[in-house]
Amino acid sequence: MQPLLESGRRMEEEPSNLPVSLWGRVSAFRARAREAYKRKPISHWILLVLSSAAMLVAFPASSLLSRVYYANGGTSKWIISWVAVAGWPLTALILFPTYLVCKTSPTPLTLKLTFSYIVLGLLSAADNLMYAYAYAYLPASTASLLASSSLVFSALFGYLLVKNKLNAAIVNAVVVITAAMTIIALDSDSDRYGNVTDKQYIWGFIWDILGSALHGLIFALSELVFVKLVGRRSFHVVLEQQVMVSFFAFVFTTIGVIVNNDFQGMKYEARSFKGGKSSYYLVLIWSTISFQLGVLGSVAVLFLSSTVLAGVLNAIRVPLTSIAAVILLKDPMSGLKILSLVVTFWGFGCYIYGSSSSSKDSS
């Protein structure tokens, strides 16, 4: 009887090893989501929704406004890179009250930490300038798709500098997104503006890829600063880093604008801008505000949730920007560009899956 009992037990245990049905997975996900919702106060979820909306609206708006600036008579690359960091006081205004609310004190500025902020600020200024050149010569939809390659460089630099893990899903994402960039390169004749030369288009393509690579490096170095120098993660610490990096980027970019005499050139641009002076300054002001709102939203999402959710929102942001550019700016959208968009979205999905798997394994 004992063997029969043992086989009976095994027969009873076997169904638990069978694949879970789709409805079972959905039910399990709903249960986990309900538990996660109950663990946090309603204010947490309201802030998370607002922060997510800021990422999904502000960043695409900033990209489209950059293209509007060039399409309506703007020519300066330094001005567009300057407005990207000119709104750093907005982040500072949100930082200071957190010291009172959280009852914390500012992080001491050591020599190494200050030097790190200066280096990151210089790199951010260079990164914004590269993206300014890209948007000067490329449609917003194309520039946005190319900028998604920053995820590839973030994974590579994170692996090299911070020793982040790479699994098969992340490597697959790197390959897929690289393939999407290749598709855009093959389709370069379909979306070029008439006033953009072949040389300018190629340089816009190159500057966009280089800017994405530098953005990935900045992301990895920022994480390295947290690991090596700060050693703690909290909302006010993340805001401190953002304020300091943006401030030094603002200083470096302002020097470039002054040396290039672009502040004086703004008066001429405003007079010749389509729509007049008021439209010109409104584009620059809203570019400043939208970029900072996007930055604040991404910082809040990282703190309130996880890098996985930030990756999901970044994945959604790419098609949103491309679709908005097609609808609002009449950007050309060929079949190959649509294919590149689908492939890019698939690459983001692979990366998100790989990142979530790595976080589960580490926990």
Side-chain angles (χ1 to χ4, degrees):
M1 288 293 294
Q2 188 65 25
L4 291 175
L5 288 174
E6 290 178 353
S7 63
R9 291 194 188 102
R10 285 197 297 268
M11 290 178 65
E12 292 176 355
E13 292 172 357
E14 281 178 0
S16 63
N17 296 327
L18 293 175
V20 182
S21 65
L22 178 61
W23 180 250
R25 292 178 183 273
V26 172
S27 300
F29 175 79
R30 290 174 59 185
R32 288 196 300 269
R34 192 179 298 110
E35 292 176 1
Y37 175 79
K38 292 179 179 179
R39 285 198 297 265
K40 300 289 185 178
I42 187 64
S43 58
H44 170 90
W45 299 109
I46 293 175
L47 288 175
L48 184 59
V49 169
L50 293 176
S51 303
S52 302
M55 284 188 66
L56 294 178
V57 175
F59 276 138
S62 176
S63 300
L64 296 181
L65 286 169
S66 296
R67 187 56 234 169
V68 168
Y69 167 80
Y70 290 115
N72 288 276
T75 58
S76 174
K77 284 73 178 178
W78 279 105
I79 290 296
I80 285 298
S81 58
W82 181 76
V83 299
V85 289
W88 69 269
L90 296 176
T91 309
L93 289 176
I94 295 178
L95 169 63
F96 295 134
T98 60
Y99 294 131
L100 300 176
V101 174
C102 302
K103 297 180 180 180
T104 56
S105 57
T107 303
L109 280 176
T110 63
L111 183 61
K112 286 185 177 180
L113 188 58
T114 304
F115 179 74
S116 299
Y117 288 155
I118 293 174
V119 171
L120 287 173
L122 178 60
L123 294 178
S124 297
D127 189 43
N128 292 331
L129 187 61
M130 290 178 184
Y131 279 135
Y133 272 94
Y135 277 94
Y137 303 135
L138 301 176
S141 56
T142 302
S144 175
L145 284 171
L146 290 174
S148 65
S149 62
S150 63
L151 188 64
V152 173
F153 296 106
S154 296
L156 294 177
F157 285 122
Y159 173 74
L160 294 174
L161 300 178
V162 196
K163 307 303 179 184
N164 290 336
K165 293 182 179 180
L166 287 179
N167 54 31
I170 295 178
V171 173
N172 181 57
V174 170
V175 175
V176 169
I177 294 177
T178 303
M181 303 306 104
T182 306
I183 293 173
I184 294 180
L186 295 174
D187 193 40
S188 59
D189 292 332
S190 68
D191 64 349
R192 189 180 308 165
Y193 291 127
N195 60 339
V196 175
T197 64
D198 293 348
K199 185 178 180 181
Q200 288 175 331
Y201 185 90
I202 292 172
W203 272 112
F205 199 98
I206 293 173
W207 283 124
D208 208 339
I209 297 297
L210 290 177
S212 300
L214 186 55
H215 187 80
L217 177 61
I218 292 171
F219 189 85
L221 290 176
S222 299
E223 188 174 357
L224 192 64
V225 168
F226 276 116
V227 174
K228 297 294 184 180
L229 299 180
V230 179
R232 57 196 175 107
R233 290 176 181 267
S234 60
F235 189 56
H236 79 275
V237 171
V238 178
L239 282 177
E240 283 174 349
Q241 187 194 52
Q242 186 59 47
V243 168
M244 296 302 296
V245 171
S246 296
F247 169 74
F248 285 115
F250 173 76
V251 171
F252 289 123
T253 308
T254 302
I255 294 172
V257 173
I258 293 173
V259 171
N260 207 44
N261 294 321
D262 279 352
F263 281 132
Q264 292 83 348
M266 288 177 67
K267 296 180 180 179
Y268 172 76
E269 283 190 345
R271 287 197 299 267
S272 59
F273 196 78
K274 293 181 182 178
K277 292 182 179 180
S278 58
S279 298
Y280 176 80
Y281 289 113
L282 280 175
V283 167
L284 295 184
I285 291 171
W286 280 111
S287 294
T288 302
I289 295 173
S290 61
F291 189 85
Q292 285 301 313
L293 287 178
V295 169
L296 287 172
S298 61
V299 169
V301 168
L302 287 171
F303 177 72
L304 294 170
S305 183
S306 64
T307 55
V308 175
L309 179 59
V312 172
L313 296 176
N314 272 319
I316 298 173
R317 180 167 64 93
V318 172
L320 281 181
T321 305
S322 299
I323 294 171
V326 172
I327 295 174
L328 300 176
L329 305 182
K330 309 302 180 183
D331 270 12
M333 180 62 76
S334 64
L336 284 177
K337 189 184 285 188
I338 295 174
L339 177 61
S340 176
L341 179 62
V342 174
V343 172
T344 301
F345 201 72
W346 175 259
F348 270 112
C350 294
Y351 182 85
I352 293 164
Y353 177 79
S355 299
S356 61
S357 300
S358 297
S359 61
K360 288 178 182 178
D361 292 340
S362 61
S363 60

mmCIF file with all atom_site columns, all heavy atoms in Angstrom, residues 251-262:
data_model
loop_
_atom_site.group_PDB
_atom_site.id
_atom_site.type_symbol
_atom_site.label_atom_id
_atom_site.label_alt_id
_atom_site.label_comp_id
_atom_site.label_asym_id
_atom_site.label_entity_id
_atom_site.label_seq_id
_atom_site.pdbx_PDB_ins_code
_atom_site.Cartn_x
_atom_site.Cartn_y
_atom_site.Cartn_z
_atom_site.occupancy
_atom_site.B_iso_or_equiv
_atom_site.pdbx_formal_charge
_atom_site.auth_seq_id
_atom_site.auth_comp_id
_atom_site.auth_asym_id
_atom_site.auth_atom_id
_atom_site.pdbx_PDB_model_num
ATOM 1  N N   . VAL A 1 251 ? 25.489 76.606 -15.966 1.00 0.00 ? 251 VAL A N   1
ATOM 2  C CA  . VAL A 1 251 ? 26.669 77.484 -15.982 1.00 0.00 ? 251 VAL A CA  1
ATOM 3  C C   . VAL A 1 251 ? 27.484 77.266 -17.254 1.00 0.00 ? 251 VAL A C   1
ATOM 4  O O   . VAL A 1 251 ? 27.850 78.220 -17.957 1.00 0.00 ? 251 VAL A O   1
ATOM 5  C CB  . VAL A 1 251 ? 27.536 77.239 -14.731 1.00 0.00 ? 251 VAL A CB  1
ATOM 6  C CG1 . VAL A 1 251 ? 28.864 77.985 -14.844 1.00 0.00 ? 251 VAL A CG1 1
ATOM 7  C CG2 . VAL A 1 251 ? 26.799 77.678 -13.470 1.00 0.00 ? 251 VAL A CG2 1
ATOM 8  N N   . PHE A 1 252 ? 27.772 75.997 -17.562 1.00 0.00 ? 252 PHE A N   1
ATOM 9  C CA  . PHE A 1 252 ? 28.570 75.697 -18.750 1.00 0.00 ? 252 PHE A CA  1
ATOM 10 C C   . PHE A 1 252 ? 27.847 76.130 -20.035 1.00 0.00 ? 252 PHE A C   1
ATOM 11 O O   . PHE A 1 252 ? 28.466 76.693 -20.944 1.00 0.00 ? 252 PHE A O   1
ATOM 12 C CB  . PHE A 1 252 ? 28.893 74.202 -18.815 1.00 0.00 ? 252 PHE A CB  1
ATOM 13 C CG  . PHE A 1 252 ? 29.885 73.750 -17.787 1.00 0.00 ? 252 PHE A CG  1
ATOM 14 C CD1 . PHE A 1 252 ? 29.558 72.729 -16.891 1.00 0.00 ? 252 PHE A CD1 1
ATOM 15 C CD2 . PHE A 1 252 ? 31.135 74.334 -17.708 1.00 0.00 ? 252 PHE A CD2 1
ATOM 16 C CE1 . PHE A 1 252 ? 30.464 72.309 -15.933 1.00 0.00 ? 252 PHE A CE1 1
ATOM 17 C CE2 . PHE A 1 252 ? 32.051 73.918 -16.755 1.00 0.00 ? 252 PHE A CE2 1
ATOM 18 C CZ  . PHE A 1 252 ? 31.727 72.900 -15.866 1.00 0.00 ? 252 PHE A CZ  1
ATOM 19 N N   . THR A 1 253 ? 26.540 75.890 -20.090 1.00 0.00 ? 253 THR A N   1
ATOM 20 C CA  . THR A 1 253 ? 25.783 76.258 -21.286 1.00 0.00 ? 253 THR A CA  1
ATOM 21 C C   . THR A 1 253 ? 25.678 77.765 -21.425 1.00 0.00 ? 253 THR A C   1
ATOM 22 O O   . THR A 1 253 ? 25.751 78.298 -22.542 1.00 0.00 ? 253 THR A O   1
ATOM 23 C CB  . THR A 1 253 ? 24.379 75.634 -21.231 1.00 0.00 ? 253 THR A CB  1
ATOM 24 O OG1 . THR A 1 253 ? 24.475 74.232 -20.986 1.00 0.00 ? 253 THR A OG1 1
ATOM 25 C CG2 . THR A 1 253 ? 23.657 75.839 -22.544 1.00 0.00 ? 253 THR A CG2 1
ATOM 26 N N   . THR A 1 254 ? 25.510 78.474 -20.308 1.00 0.00 ? 254 THR A N   1
ATOM 27 C CA  . THR A 1 254 ? 25.446 79.939 -20.351 1.00 0.00 ? 254 THR A CA  1
ATOM 28 C C   . THR A 1 254 ? 26.750 80.523 -20.887 1.00 0.00 ? 254 THR A C   1
ATOM 29 O O   . THR A 1 254 ? 26.741 81.486 -21.668 1.00 0.00 ? 254 THR A O   1
ATOM 30 C CB  . THR A 1 254 ? 25.140 80.501 -18.957 1.00 0.00 ? 254 THR A CB  1
ATOM 31 O OG1 . THR A 1 254 ? 23.906 79.957 -18.481 1.00 0.00 ? 254 THR A OG1 1
ATOM 32 C CG2 . THR A 1 254 ? 25.042 82.019 -18.995 1.00 0.00 ? 254 THR A CG2 1
ATOM 33 N N   . ILE A 1 255 ? 27.875 79.940 -20.474 1.00 0.00 ? 255 ILE A N   1
ATOM 34 C CA  . ILE A 1 255 ? 29.170 80.389 -21.003 1.00 0.00 ? 255 ILE A CA  1
ATOM 35 C C   . ILE A 1 255 ? 29.215 80.205 -22.520 1.00 0.00 ? 255 ILE A C   1
ATOM 36 O O   . ILE A 1 255 ? 29.672 81.080 -23.264 1.00 0.00 ? 255 ILE A O   1
ATOM 37 C CB  . ILE A 1 255 ? 30.321 79.619 -20.322 1.00 0.00 ? 255 ILE A CB  1
ATOM 38 C CG1 . ILE A 1 255 ? 30.397 79.983 -18.834 1.00 0.00 ? 255 ILE A CG1 1
ATOM 39 C CG2 . ILE A 1 255 ? 31.655 79.907 -21.006 1.00 0.00 ? 255 ILE A CG2 1
ATOM 40 C CD1 . ILE A 1 255 ? 31.382 79.140 -18.044 1.00 0.00 ? 255 ILE A CD1 1
ATOM 41 N N   . GLY A 1 256 ? 28.728 79.054 -22.991 1.00 0.00 ? 256 GLY A N   1
ATOM 42 C CA  . GLY A 1 256 ? 28.709 78.809 -24.426 1.00 0.00 ? 256 GLY A CA  1
ATOM 43 C C   . GLY A 1 256 ? 27.817 79.790 -25.164 1.00 0.00 ? 256 GLY A C   1
ATOM 44 O O   . GLY A 1 256 ? 28.163 80.256 -26.262 1.00 0.00 ? 256 GLY A O   1
ATOM 45 N N   . VAL A 1 257 ? 26.653 80.111 -24.591 1.00 0.00 ? 257 VAL A N   1
ATOM 46 C CA  . VAL A 1 257 ? 25.739 81.066 -25.221 1.00 0.00 ? 257 VAL A CA  1
ATOM 47 C C   . VAL A 1 257 ? 26.382 82.445 -25.301 1.00 0.00 ? 257 VAL A C   1
ATOM 48 O O   . VAL A 1 257 ? 26.279 83.146 -26.327 1.00 0.00 ? 257 VAL A O   1
ATOM 49 C CB  . VAL A 1 257 ? 24.409 81.118 -24.444 1.00 0.00 ? 257 VAL A CB  1
ATOM 50 C CG1 . VAL A 1 257 ? 23.521 82.240 -24.995 1.00 0.00 ? 257 VAL A CG1 1
ATOM 51 C CG2 . VAL A 1 257 ? 23.677 79.790 -24.552 1.00 0.00 ? 257 VAL A CG2 1
ATOM 52 N N   . ILE A 1 258 ? 27.073 82.856 -24.236 1.00 0.00 ? 258 ILE A N   1
ATOM 53 C CA  . ILE A 1 258 ? 27.712 84.173 -24.204 1.00 0.00 ? 258 ILE A CA  1
ATOM 54 C C   . ILE A 1 258 ? 28.848 84.244 -25.221 1.00 0.00 ? 258 ILE A C   1
ATOM 55 O O   . ILE A 1 258 ? 28.979 85.218 -25.978 1.00 0.00 ? 258 ILE A O   1
ATOM 56 C CB  . ILE A 1 258 ? 28.222 84.479 -22.787 1.00 0.00 ? 258 ILE A CB  1
ATOM 57 C CG1 . ILE A 1 258 ? 27.037 84.635 -21.828 1.00 0.00 ? 258 ILE A CG1 1
ATOM 58 C CG2 . ILE A 1 258 ? 29.084 85.744 -22.784 1.00 0.00 ? 258 ILE A CG2 1
ATOM 59 C CD1 . ILE A 1 258 ? 27.445 84.784 -20.375 1.00 0.00 ? 258 ILE A CD1 1
ATOM 60 N N   . VAL A 1 259 ? 29.692 83.208 -25.239 1.00 0.00 ? 259 VAL A N   1
ATOM 61 C CA  . VAL A 1 259 ? 30.825 83.190 -26.178 1.00 0.00 ? 259 VAL A CA  1
ATOM 62 C C   . VAL A 1 259 ? 30.333 83.205 -27.624 1.00 0.00 ? 259 VAL A C   1
ATOM 63 O O   . VAL A 1 259 ? 30.934 83.844 -28.501 1.00 0.00 ? 259 VAL A O   1
ATOM 64 C CB  . VAL A 1 259 ? 31.714 81.956 -25.916 1.00 0.00 ? 259 VAL A CB  1
ATOM 65 C CG1 . VAL A 1 259 ? 32.769 81.799 -27.011 1.00 0.00 ? 259 VAL A CG1 1
ATOM 66 C CG2 . VAL A 1 259 ? 32.381 82.059 -24.554 1.00 0.00 ? 259 VAL A CG2 1
ATOM 67 N N   . ASN A 1 260 ? 29.224 82.534 -27.880 1.00 0.00 ? 260 ASN A N   1
ATOM 68 C CA  . ASN A 1 260 ? 28.678 82.458 -29.238 1.00 0.00 ? 260 ASN A CA  1
ATOM 69 C C   . ASN A 1 260 ? 27.791 83.650 -29.601 1.00 0.00 ? 260 ASN A C   1
ATOM 70 O O   . ASN A 1 260 ? 27.252 83.706 -30.717 1.00 0.00 ? 260 ASN A O   1
ATOM 71 C CB  . ASN A 1 260 ? 27.860 81.167 -29.376 1.00 0.00 ? 260 ASN A CB  1
ATOM 72 C CG  . ASN A 1 260 ? 27.794 80.657 -30.790 1.00 0.00 ? 260 ASN A CG  1
ATOM 73 O OD1 . ASN A 1 260 ? 28.802 80.621 -31.502 1.00 0.00 ? 260 ASN A OD1 1
ATOM 74 N ND2 . ASN A 1 260 ? 26.602 80.252 -31.229 1.00 0.00 ? 260 ASN A ND2 1
ATOM 75 N N   . ASN A 1 261 ? 27.645 84.603 -28.646 1.00 0.00 ? 261 ASN A N   1
ATOM 76 C CA  . ASN A 1 261 ? 26.831 85.807 -28.854 1.00 0.00 ? 261 ASN A CA  1
ATOM 77 C C   . ASN A 1 261 ? 25.373 85.482 -29.200 1.00 0.00 ? 261 ASN A C   1
ATOM 78 O O   . ASN A 1 261 ? 24.730 86.205 -29.972 1.00 0.00 ? 261 ASN A O   1
ATOM 79 C CB  . ASN A 1 261 ? 27.434 86.688 -29.967 1.00 0.00 ? 261 ASN A CB  1
ATOM 80 C CG  . ASN A 1 261 ? 28.778 87.267 -29.594 1.00 0.00 ? 261 ASN A CG  1
ATOM 81 O OD1 . ASN A 1 261 ? 28.988 87.667 -28.447 1.00 0.00 ? 261 ASN A OD1 1
ATOM 82 N ND2 . ASN A 1 261 ? 29.702 87.302 -30.552 1.00 0.00 ? 261 ASN A ND2 1
ATOM 83 N N   . ASP A 1 262 ? 24.855 84.421 -28.630 1.00 0.00 ? 262 ASP A N   1
ATOM 84 C CA  . ASP A 1 262 ? 23.488 84.003 -28.949 1.00 0.00 ? 262 ASP A CA  1
ATOM 85 C C   . ASP A 1 262 ? 22.433 84.789 -28.175 1.00 0.00 ? 262 ASP A C   1
ATOM 86 O O   . ASP A 1 262 ? 21.277 84.842 -28.606 1.00 0.00 ? 262 ASP A O   1
ATOM 87 C CB  . ASP A 1 262 ? 23.315 82.506 -28.688 1.00 0.00 ? 262 ASP A CB  1
ATOM 88 C CG  . ASP A 1 262 ? 23.852 81.661 -29.837 1.00 0.00 ? 262 ASP A CG  1
ATOM 89 O OD1 . ASP A 1 262 ? 24.197 82.251 -30.871 1.00 0.00 ? 262 ASP A OD1 1
ATOM 90 O OD2 . ASP A 1 262 ? 23.915 80.435 -29.708 1.00 0.00 ? 262 ASP A OD2 1
#
